[in-house]
Amino acid sequence: MPIRPFTLAVTDAQLSDLRQRLRHANFADALSPDSWEDGTQSVFLRRCLDYWCNEFDWRSQERRINQLPQFMTEVDGQAIHFLHQRGKGGQTDSSGDHAWLAGFLPGNGTVAAAAH
């Protein structure tokens, strides 16, 4: 189970494809368009899609993510992407996976704070 360094590199073609698919998403008719009772409020979801297609700066987030020490390995045939930062001055090393990604981003501080 070798561990290898990883750098996130999403191509422009992949981002274009994602935007295209988001723009062409099909929405079921909401039973109650202003309610969360039947699932995500359709008005809210449409605003999210508009943001993801027209305002979200993927390249900025990609740069933030790539500031972190990322790695790939395989466990039981499953590819695993994880972060690992060595502790300094006697601090414990810090590791994590996608379940905690927001906490790993620079500025959010979980990995950096745990390792420093």
Side-chain angles (χ1 to χ4, degrees):
M1 156 165 69
I3 295 174
R4 63 188 185 284
F6 177 80
T7 300
L8 183 61
V10 178
T11 67
D12 288 339
Q14 289 170 313
L15 290 177
S16 292
D17 176 63
L18 176 59
R19 284 187 194 101
Q20 184 76 3
R21 287 184 286 131
L22 290 172
R23 284 186 181 110
H24 290 95
N26 292 316
F27 289 90
D29 291 334
L31 297 175
S32 303
D34 297 326
S35 171
W36 288 82
E37 191 171 305
D38 302 314
T40 304
Q41 186 184 58
S42 61
V43 172
F44 174 78
L45 186 56
R46 288 176 194 273
R47 282 197 322 259
C48 287
L49 262 90
D50 180 66
Y51 172 76
W52 296 330
C53 288
N54 300 308
E55 297 178 44
F56 184 77
D57 184 352
W58 172 257
R59 294 297 178 210
S60 171
Q61 298 306 312
E62 189 176 51
R63 284 190 298 277
R64 287 180 70 199
I65 292 167
N66 281 333
Q67 290 176 6
L68 302 169
Q70 302 173 75
F71 301 90
M72 293 290 293
T73 193
E74 189 174 302
V75 176
D76 294 332
Q78 182 70 38
I80 305 293
H81 171 233
F82 67 97
L83 306 172
H84 180 260
Q85 190 162 10
R86 296 236 179 249
K88 293 183 180 178
Q91 296 291 325
T92 303
D93 290 0
S94 182
S95 298
D97 62 19
H98 288 281
W100 296 91
L101 183 58
F104 295 143
L105 293 176
N108 293 1
T110 303
V111 167
H116 293 94

